[in-house]
């Protein structure tokens, strides 16, 4: 039997989405777009669409569409570093800063809701254990599990 945490993991996402809904409506943006802005603001060492896909395990197509929408709105700009014209880097514009500020506030609220009643030591221990679980998941996904999805059945016309 799985611990309640795993059984309720969809609830974690649902709560996060519910908290972000007013911001998304206010700025007329999708959750993925807000996630991209906050990822770039919170992780300055990662500044490419590929980094976002790899670190957040999100679909490349969703990140590409989100980056395009944010760039079109002037919230994000693309640039190339000297000596490497192949890699496109991303940076937030001044226009994105109010959204990032509000988004970070919502992320802090989310954390307070999740960790209510826990000591700093308990939170630190939990985060360490969840990091280990995440590493185990990544390792399992990289291994060949021997499972192959069934071949798609062809319709007989």
């Amino acid at each position: 039997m799985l611990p309640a945490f795993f059984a309720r993991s969809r609830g974690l996402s649902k709560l996060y989405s519910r908290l972000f809904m007013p911001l998304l409506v206010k700025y007329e943006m999708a959750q993925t777009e807000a996630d991209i802005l906050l990822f770039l603001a919170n992780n300055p060492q990662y500044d490419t669409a590929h980094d976002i896909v790899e670190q957040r395990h999100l679909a490349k197509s969703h990140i590409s569409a989100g980056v395009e929408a944010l760039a079109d709105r002037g919230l994000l700009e693309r640039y190339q570093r000297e000596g490497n014209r192949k890699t496109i880097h991303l940076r937030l514009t001044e226009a994105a800063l109010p959204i990032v500020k509000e988004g970070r506030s919502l992320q802090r609220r989310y954390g307070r809701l999740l960790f209510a009643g826990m000591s700093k030591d308990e939170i630190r221990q939990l985060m360490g254990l969840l990091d280990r679980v995440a590493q185990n998941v990544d390792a399992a996904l990289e291994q060949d599990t021997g499972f192959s999805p069934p071949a798609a059945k062809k319709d007989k016309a």
Side-chain angles (χ1 to χ4, degrees):
M1 184 165 124
L2 286 176
F5 174 82
F6 295 106
R8 301 276 305 162
S9 65
R10 292 187 68 99
L12 294 169
S13 179
K14 188 175 184 178
L15 175 61
Y16 191 82
S17 295
R18 189 177 292 171
L19 287 173
F20 267 81
M21 191 53 63
L23 179 132
L24 302 178
V25 169
K26 177 179 178 179
Y27 291 103
E28 298 178 359
M29 65 175 31
Q31 182 69 59
T32 301
E33 295 167 12
D35 291 345
I36 291 168
L37 293 178
L38 288 164
F39 179 87
L40 292 170
N42 294 336
N43 303 281
Q45 71 275 28
Y46 299 116
D47 68 347
T48 68
H50 178 76
D51 290 337
I52 300 168
V53 169
E54 290 295 311
Q55 295 299 314
R56 291 290 311 274
H57 301 283
L58 297 171
K60 184 178 178 181
S61 60
H62 292 159
I63 299 305
S64 294
V67 165
E68 190 67 32
L70 292 167
D72 288 349
R73 292 181 60 185
L75 298 171
L76 189 68
E77 58 187 20
R78 300 176 184 102
Y79 69 98
Q80 296 171 320
R81 291 188 180 147
E82 195 167 324
N84 182 353
R85 302 200 39 89
K86 228 174 144 179
T87 303
I88 304 296
H89 297 271
L90 306 170
R91 71 175 146 228
L92 303 176
T93 64
E94 286 286 323
L97 298 182
I99 301 168
V100 168
K101 183 178 179 182
E102 289 180 49
R104 283 178 164 166
S105 176
L106 291 170
Q107 287 177 326
R108 285 190 299 275
R109 181 173 175 213
Y110 180 70
R112 285 192 305 271
L113 290 169
L114 292 185
F115 304 123
M118 293 183 194
S119 70
K120 288 183 180 184
D121 285 341
E122 288 171 325
I123 293 168
R124 198 173 7 263
Q125 183 179 16
L126 175 62
M127 298 306 280
L129 293 169
L130 290 174
D131 283 344
R132 193 177 315 160
V133 169
Q135 290 168 4
N136 291 342
V137 168
D138 289 344
L141 289 172
E142 288 178 16
Q143 293 176 3
D144 181 10
T145 60
F147 172 76
S148 298
K153 293 181 181 178
K154 295 184 180 177
D155 291 333
K156 295 180 181 178

